[in-house]
Coordinates of all heavy atoms in Angstrom, one line a residue:
L166 N 3.1 75.2 104.6 CA 2.5 76.4 104.0 C 3.5 77.5 104.0 O 3.6 78.3 103.0 CB 1.4 76.8 104.8 CG 0.0 76.1 104.4 CD1 -1.0 76.4 105.5 CD2 -0.5 76.8 103.1
T167 N 4.3 77.7 105.0 CA 5.3 78.8 105.1 C 6.3 78.6 104.0 O 6.7 79.6 103.3 CB 5.9 78.8 106.6 OG1 4.9 78.8 107.6 CG2 6.7 80.1 106.7
S168 N 6.9 77.4 104.0 CA 7.9 77.2 103.0 C 7.4 77.4 101.6 O 8.0 77.9 100.7 CB 8.4 75.7 103.1 OG 8.7 75.3 104.4
A169 N 6.2 77.0 101.4 CA 5.5 77.1 100.1 C 5.4 78.5 99.6 O 5.7 78.9 98.5 CB 4.2 76.3 100.0
C170 N 4.9 79.4 100.5 CA 4.7 80.8 100.3 C 6.0 81.4 100.0 O 6.1 82.3 99.1 CB 3.9 81.5 101.4 SG 2.2 80.9 101.5
Q171 N 7.1 81.1 100.8 CA 8.3 81.7 100.6 C 8.9 81.4 99.2 O 9.4 82.2 98.5 CB 9.4 81.3 101.7 CG 9.1 82.0 103.0 CD 9.8 81.4 104.1 OE1 10.5 80.3 104.0 NE2 9.7 82.0 105.3
Q172 N 8.7 80.0 98.9 CA 9.3 79.6 97.6 C 8.5 80.3 96.4 O 9.1 80.7 95.5 CB 9.1 78.0 97.4 CG 9.7 77.5 96.2 CD 11.1 77.8 96.0 OE1 12.0 77.4 96.8 NE2 11.5 78.5 94.9
A173 N 7.2 80.4 96.6 CA 6.4 81.0 95.6 C 6.8 82.5 95.4 O 6.9 83.0 94.3 CB 4.9 81.0 95.9
R174 N 7.1 83.2 96.6 CA 7.5 84.5 96.5 C 8.9 84.7 95.8 O 9.1 85.5 94.9 CB 7.7 85.0 97.9 CG 8.3 86.4 98.0 CD 7.5 87.5 97.2 NE 8.3 88.6 97.0 CZ 8.1 89.9 97.5 NH1 7.1 90.1 98.3 NH2 8.9 90.9 97.2
S175 N 9.8 83.8 96.0 CA 11.0 83.8 95.3 C 11.0 83.6 93.8 O 11.6 84.2 93.0 CB 12.0 82.7 95.9 OG 12.8 82.0 95.1
W176 N 10.1 82.7 93.3 CA 9.8 82.5 92.0 C 9.2 83.7 91.3 O 9.5 84.0 90.2 CB 8.9 81.3 91.7 CG 9.6 80.0 91.7 CD1 10.9 79.7 91.3 CD2 9.2 78.7 92.3 NE1 11.2 78.4 91.6 CE2 10.1 77.7 92.1 CE3 7.9 78.3 92.8 CZ2 10.0 76.4 92.5 CZ3 7.8 77.0 93.3 CH2 8.8 76.1 93.1
R177 N 8.2 84.3 92.1 CA 7.7 85.6 91.6 C 8.7 86.7 91.4 O 8.6 87.4 90.4 CB 6.5 86.1 92.5 CG 5.5 86.9 91.9 CD 4.7 87.7 92.8 NE 5.7 88.8 93.4 CZ 5.2 89.6 94.3 NH1 4.0 89.7 94.7 NH2 6.1 90.5 94.8
D178 N 9.6 86.7 92.3 CA 10.7 87.7 92.1 C 11.6 87.5 91.0 O 12.1 88.4 90.2 CB 11.5 87.9 93.4 CG 10.7 88.5 94.6 OD1 9.6 89.0 94.3 OD2 11.1 88.4 95.8
I187 N 0.6 78.1 93.5 CA 1.2 77.1 94.4 C 0.1 76.4 95.1 O -0.7 77.0 95.7 CB 2.3 77.8 95.3 CG1 3.1 76.7 96.1 CG2 1.7 78.7 96.3 CD1 4.6 77.0 95.9
D204 N -3.6 82.5 110.1 CA -2.3 81.9 109.7 C -2.0 82.2 108.3 O -0.9 82.8 107.8 CB -2.1 80.5 110.1 CG -2.0 80.2 111.5 OD1 -1.7 81.2 112.3 OD2 -2.2 79.1 112.0
V205 N -3.0 81.8 107.5 CA -2.8 82.0 106.0 C -2.8 83.5 105.7 O -1.9 83.8 104.8 CB -3.9 81.2 105.3 CG1 -4.0 81.6 103.7 CG2 -3.7 79.7 105.4
A206 N -3.6 84.3 106.2 CA -3.6 85.7 105.9 C -2.2 86.3 106.3 O -1.7 87.1 105.5 CB -4.7 86.4 106.8
D207 N -1.6 85.9 107.5 CA -0.4 86.4 107.9 C 0.8 85.9 106.9 O 1.7 86.7 106.5 CB 0.0 85.9 109.2 CG -0.9 86.5 110.3 OD1 -1.6 87.5 110.0 OD2 -0.8 86.0 111.5
L208 N 0.7 84.7 106.4 CA 1.7 84.2 105.5 C 1.7 84.9 104.2 O 2.6 85.3 103.6 CB 1.4 82.7 105.2 CG 1.9 81.7 106.3 CD1 1.5 80.3 105.9 CD2 3.4 81.9 106.5
L209 N 0.4 85.3 103.7 CA 0.3 86.0 102.5 C 0.8 87.4 102.6 O 1.5 87.8 101.7 CB -1.2 86.0 102.0 CG -1.8 84.7 101.6 CD1 -3.4 84.9 101.5 CD2 -1.2 84.3 100.3
A210 N 0.5 88.1 103.8 CA 1.1 89.4 104.0 C 2.6 89.3 104.1 O 3.3 90.2 103.4 CB 0.4 89.9 105.3
A211 N 3.2 88.3 104.8 CA 4.5 88.3 105.0 C 5.3 88.0 103.7 O 6.4 88.5 103.5 CB 4.9 87.2 106.1
S212 N 4.7 87.2 102.9 CA 5.4 86.8 101.6 C 5.0 87.7 100.4 O 5.7 87.7 99.4 CB 5.0 85.3 101.2 OG 3.7 85.2 101.0
G213 N 3.9 88.5 100.6 CA 3.6 89.4 99.5 C 3.1 88.6 98.4 O 2.9 89.1 97.2
L214 N 2.6 87.4 98.6 CA 2.0 86.6 97.5 C 0.5 87.0 97.4 O -0.2 87.2 98.3 CB 2.1 85.1 98.0 CG 1.9 84.1 96.9 CD1 3.0 84.1 95.9 CD2 1.8 82.7 97.6
A215 N 0.2 87.1 96.1 CA -1.3 87.5 95.8 C -2.1 86.2 96.3 O -1.7 85.1 96.0 CB -1.5 87.7 94.4
P216 N -3.2 86.5 96.9 CA -4.0 85.3 97.5 C -4.4 84.3 96.5 O -4.4 83.1 96.7 CB -5.3 86.0 98.2 CG -4.9 87.4 98.3 CD -3.8 87.8 97.4
R218 N -2.9 83.3 94.0 CA -1.8 82.4 93.6 C -1.6 81.3 94.5 O -0.8 80.4 94.2 CB -0.6 83.2 93.5 CG -0.6 84.4 92.5 CD -0.1 83.8 91.1 NE -1.2 83.0 90.4 CZ -2.0 83.6 89.6 NH1 -2.0 84.9 89.2 NH2 -3.0 82.8 89.0
L219 N -2.3 81.2 95.7 CA -2.3 80.1 96.5 C -3.5 79.3 96.4 O -4.6 79.8 96.4 CB -2.1 80.6 98.0 CG -2.1 79.5 99.1 CD1 -0.9 78.6 99.0 CD2 -2.2 80.2 100.5

Side-chain angles (χ1 to χ4, degrees):
L166 271 167
T167 310
S168 317
C170 289
Q171 283 167 356
Q172 182 59 61
R174 171 61 198 246
S175 141
W176 280 324
R177 203 200 64 178
D178 291 347
I187 191 128
D204 288 343
V205 168
D207 291 348
L208 282 177
L209 290 172
S212 63
L214 194 67
R218 297 272 77 94
L219 176 64

